[in-house]
Tab-separated table of all heavy atoms in Angstrom:
chain	number	residue	atom	x	y	z
Q	35	MET	N	54.668	31.803	31.943
Q	35	MET	CA	53.723	30.979	32.698
Q	35	MET	C	52.317	31.572	32.630
Q	35	MET	O	51.341	30.849	32.497
Q	35	MET	CB	54.175	30.847	34.153
Q	35	MET	CG	55.478	30.105	34.330
Q	35	MET	SD	55.370	28.371	33.902
Q	35	MET	CE	54.325	27.812	35.214
Q	36	ALA	N	52.218	32.894	32.714
Q	36	ALA	CA	50.915	33.555	32.641
Q	36	ALA	C	50.272	33.289	31.279
Q	36	ALA	O	49.068	33.015	31.198
Q	36	ALA	CB	51.060	35.052	32.893
Q	37	ASP	N	51.059	33.369	30.225
Q	37	ASP	CA	50.538	33.115	28.878
Q	37	ASP	C	50.109	31.664	28.706
Q	37	ASP	O	49.079	31.380	28.102
Q	37	ASP	CB	51.590	33.455	27.816
Q	37	ASP	CG	51.858	34.944	27.711
Q	37	ASP	OD1	51.048	35.744	28.222
Q	37	ASP	OD2	52.899	35.307	27.116
Q	38	ALA	N	50.895	30.747	29.231
Q	38	ALA	CA	50.644	29.323	28.999
Q	38	ALA	C	49.551	28.751	29.886
Q	38	ALA	O	48.692	28.013	29.416
Q	38	ALA	CB	51.939	28.532	29.186
Q	39	VAL	N	49.606	29.060	31.180
Q	39	VAL	CA	48.673	28.420	32.109
Q	39	VAL	C	47.949	29.398	33.025
Q	39	VAL	O	47.415	29.012	34.047
Q	39	VAL	CB	49.372	27.330	32.969
Q	39	VAL	CG1	49.812	26.168	32.123
Q	39	VAL	CG2	50.522	27.910	33.758
Q	40	ASP	N	47.940	30.671	32.634
Q	40	ASP	CA	47.212	31.687	33.394
Q	40	ASP	C	47.623	31.702	34.865
Q	40	ASP	O	46.792	31.736	35.753
Q	40	ASP	CB	45.699	31.458	33.246
Q	40	ASP	CG	44.898	32.650	33.749
Q	40	ASP	OD1	45.400	33.780	33.676
Q	40	ASP	OD2	43.762	32.437	34.229
Q	41	MET	N	48.922	31.643	35.103
Q	41	MET	CA	49.449	31.664	36.467
Q	41	MET	C	49.900	33.070	36.792
Q	41	MET	O	50.587	33.690	35.995
Q	41	MET	CB	50.618	30.684	36.585
Q	41	MET	CG	51.173	30.541	37.981
Q	41	MET	SD	49.977	30.029	39.221
Q	41	MET	CE	49.634	28.357	38.743
Q	42	GLY	N	49.524	33.562	37.952
Q	42	GLY	CA	49.847	34.917	38.355
Q	42	GLY	C	51.327	35.130	38.587
Q	42	GLY	O	52.040	34.239	39.052
Q	43	GLU	N	51.778	36.321	38.290
Q	43	GLU	CA	53.183	36.690	38.414
Q	43	GLU	C	53.684	36.567	39.851
Q	43	GLU	O	54.815	36.159	40.097
Q	43	GLU	CB	53.359	38.132	37.924
Q	43	GLU	CG	54.738	38.672	38.027
Q	43	GLU	CD	54.803	40.134	37.625
Q	43	GLU	OE1	54.112	40.527	36.664
Q	43	GLU	OE2	55.549	40.868	38.275
Q	44	GLY	N	52.843	36.889	40.818
Q	44	GLY	CA	53.249	36.879	42.220
Q	44	GLY	C	53.618	35.521	42.770
Q	44	GLY	O	54.293	35.417	43.787
Q	45	THR	N	53.209	34.457	42.106
Q	45	THR	CA	53.526	33.116	42.602
Q	45	THR	C	54.930	32.671	42.209
Q	45	THR	O	55.480	31.757	42.811
Q	45	THR	CB	52.512	32.076	42.074
Q	45	THR	OG1	52.543	32.094	40.648
Q	45	THR	CG2	51.119	32.370	42.558
Q	46	ILE	N	55.511	33.310	41.205
Q	46	ILE	CA	56.818	32.884	40.698
Q	46	ILE	C	57.951	33.243	41.652
Q	46	ILE	O	58.835	32.430	41.907
Q	46	ILE	CB	57.087	33.498	39.306
Q	46	ILE	CG1	56.122	32.916	38.277
Q	46	ILE	CG2	58.533	33.288	38.877
Q	46	ILE	CD1	56.293	31.443	38.010
Q	47	TYR	N	57.931	34.449	42.199
Q	47	TYR	CA	59.072	34.910	42.993
Q	47	TYR	C	59.342	34.050	44.236
Q	47	TYR	O	60.487	33.648	44.457
Q	47	TYR	CB	58.909	36.393	43.326
Q	47	TYR	CG	58.957	37.236	42.067
Q	47	TYR	CD1	57.782	37.646	41.439
Q	47	TYR	CD2	60.165	37.565	41.472
Q	47	TYR	CE1	57.822	38.387	40.267
Q	47	TYR	CE2	60.222	38.305	40.299
Q	47	TYR	CZ	59.036	38.714	39.706
Q	47	TYR	OH	59.077	39.432	38.537
Q	48	PRO	N	58.337	33.707	45.031
Q	48	PRO	CA	58.606	32.810	46.168
Q	48	PRO	C	59.098	31.433	45.706
Q	48	PRO	O	59.976	30.840	46.326
Q	48	PRO	CB	57.262	32.697	46.885
Q	48	PRO	CG	56.446	33.844	46.406
Q	48	PRO	CD	56.962	34.190	45.042
Q	49	LEU	N	58.546	30.949	44.607
Q	49	LEU	CA	58.971	29.654	44.072
Q	49	LEU	C	60.434	29.709	43.647
Q	49	LEU	O	61.205	28.792	43.946
Q	49	LEU	CB	58.088	29.248	42.888
Q	49	LEU	CG	58.525	27.982	42.154
Q	49	LEU	CD1	58.430	26.755	43.056
Q	49	LEU	CD2	57.687	27.786	40.900
Q	50	MET	N	60.839	30.773	42.991
Q	50	MET	CA	62.224	30.888	42.538
Q	50	MET	C	63.179	30.932	43.723
Q	50	MET	O	64.239	30.298	43.687
Q	50	MET	CB	62.408	32.125	41.648
Q	50	MET	CG	61.561	32.129	40.378
Q	50	MET	SD	61.666	30.640	39.369
Q	50	MET	CE	63.366	30.656	38.870
Q	51	ARG	N	62.806	31.650	44.789
Q	51	ARG	CA	63.651	31.691	45.991
Q	51	ARG	C	63.768	30.296	46.607
Q	51	ARG	O	64.850	29.865	47.006
Q	51	ARG	CB	63.086	32.682	47.014
Q	51	ARG	CG	63.394	34.121	46.682
Q	51	ARG	CD	63.062	35.062	47.823
Q	51	ARG	NE	61.644	35.090	48.146
Q	51	ARG	CZ	60.732	35.847	47.537
Q	51	ARG	NH1	61.104	36.653	46.572
Q	51	ARG	NH2	59.477	35.817	47.911
Q	52	ARG	N	62.654	29.568	46.671
Q	52	ARG	CA	62.661	28.216	47.238
Q	52	ARG	C	63.505	27.274	46.376
Q	52	ARG	O	64.285	26.471	46.889
Q	52	ARG	CB	61.225	27.712	47.385
Q	52	ARG	CG	61.120	26.410	48.139
Q	52	ARG	CD	59.680	26.037	48.497
Q	52	ARG	NE	58.809	25.935	47.340
Q	52	ARG	CZ	57.827	26.793	47.044
Q	52	ARG	NH1	57.590	27.842	47.804
Q	52	ARG	NH2	57.069	26.608	45.988
Q	53	MET	N	63.376	27.380	45.063
Q	53	MET	CA	64.153	26.520	44.168
Q	53	MET	C	65.640	26.816	44.284
Q	53	MET	O	66.456	25.900	44.218
Q	53	MET	CB	63.665	26.685	42.723
Q	53	MET	CG	62.252	26.151	42.514
Q	53	MET	SD	61.639	26.488	40.863
Q	53	MET	CE	62.239	25.025	40.037
Q	54	GLN	N	65.984	28.094	44.480
Q	54	GLN	CA	67.389	28.451	44.667
Q	54	GLN	C	67.896	27.883	45.989
Q	54	GLN	O	68.979	27.292	46.045
Q	54	GLN	CB	67.566	29.973	44.631
Q	54	GLN	CG	69.010	30.391	44.723
Q	54	GLN	CD	69.189	31.897	44.651
Q	54	GLN	OE1	68.231	32.660	44.587
Q	54	GLN	NE2	70.438	32.335	44.659
Q	55	LYS	N	67.107	28.036	47.041
Q	55	LYS	CA	67.491	27.507	48.361
Q	55	LYS	C	67.662	25.989	48.313
Q	55	LYS	O	68.559	25.431	48.948
Q	55	LYS	CB	66.417	27.884	49.389
Q	55	LYS	CG	66.787	27.528	50.817
Q	55	LYS	CD	65.664	27.897	51.766
Q	55	LYS	CE	65.042	26.630	52.141
Q	55	LYS	NZ	63.897	26.343	52.691
Q	56	ASP	N	66.842	25.319	47.521
Q	56	ASP	CA	66.913	23.853	47.392
Q	56	ASP	C	68.003	23.384	46.435
Q	56	ASP	O	68.182	22.185	46.228
Q	56	ASP	CB	65.557	23.299	46.931
Q	56	ASP	CG	64.464	23.450	47.976
Q	56	ASP	OD1	64.780	23.716	49.151
Q	56	ASP	OD2	63.278	23.300	47.606
Q	57	GLY	N	68.700	24.320	45.813
Q	57	GLY	CA	69.798	23.966	44.919
Q	57	GLY	C	69.372	23.524	43.530
Q	57	GLY	O	70.159	22.943	42.790
Q	58	LEU	N	68.126	23.815	43.166
Q	58	LEU	CA	67.625	23.397	41.853
Q	58	LEU	C	67.977	24.400	40.764
Q	58	LEU	O	68.032	24.044	39.587
Q	58	LEU	CB	66.110	23.197	41.902
Q	58	LEU	CG	65.619	22.190	42.946
Q	58	LEU	CD1	64.101	22.143	42.969
Q	58	LEU	CD2	66.207	20.821	42.691
Q	59	VAL	N	68.179	25.653	41.178
Q	59	VAL	CA	68.569	26.702	40.246
Q	59	VAL	C	69.696	27.522	40.863
Q	59	VAL	O	69.835	27.578	42.085
Q	59	VAL	CB	67.388	27.636	39.870
Q	59	VAL	CG1	66.268	26.863	39.197
Q	59	VAL	CG2	66.866	28.400	41.074
Q	60	SER	N	70.486	28.130	40.015
Q	60	SER	CA	71.498	29.081	40.461
Q	60	SER	C	71.161	30.422	39.820
Q	60	SER	O	70.331	30.494	38.907
Q	60	SER	CB	72.893	28.608	40.051
Q	60	SER	OG	72.976	28.509	38.636
Q	61	THR	N	71.795	31.470	40.310
Q	61	THR	CA	71.509	32.802	39.774
Q	61	THR	C	72.792	33.528	39.407
Q	61	THR	O	73.873	33.206	39.906
Q	61	THR	CB	70.743	33.663	40.808
Q	61	THR	OG1	71.562	33.844	41.961
Q	61	THR	CG2	69.426	33.036	41.208
Q	62	TYR	N	72.648	34.499	38.535
Q	62	TYR	CA	73.726	35.406	38.189
Q	62	TYR	C	73.094	36.702	37.672
Q	62	TYR	O	71.942	36.700	37.234
Q	62	TYR	CB	74.673	34.794	37.141
Q	62	TYR	CG	74.016	34.455	35.820
Q	62	TYR	CD1	74.014	35.374	34.768
Q	62	TYR	CD2	73.413	33.218	35.613
Q	62	TYR	CE1	73.421	35.064	33.555
Q	62	TYR	CE2	72.821	32.901	34.410
Q	62	TYR	CZ	72.816	33.828	33.379
Q	62	TYR	OH	72.227	33.516	32.187
Q	63	LEU	N	73.821	37.784	37.793
Q	63	LEU	CA	73.341	39.072	37.304
Q	63	LEU	C	73.847	39.316	35.896
Q	63	LEU	O	74.988	38.973	35.555
Q	63	LEU	CB	73.803	40.206	38.215
Q	63	LEU	CG	73.162	40.265	39.591
Q	63	LEU	CD1	73.780	41.390	40.418
Q	63	LEU	CD2	71.656	40.442	39.502
Side-chain angles (χ1 to χ4, degrees):
M35 295 293 292
D37 291 344
V39 293
D40 193 30
M41 185 57 69
E43 178 184 321
T45 59
I46 293 295
Y47 295 97
L49 174 64
M50 299 309 296
R51 282 191 297 275
R52 188 170 58 250
M53 293 175 89
Q54 184 179 3
K55 187 181 106 196
D56 292 345
L58 303 176
V59 299
S60 61
T61 62
Y62 61 93
L63 290 177

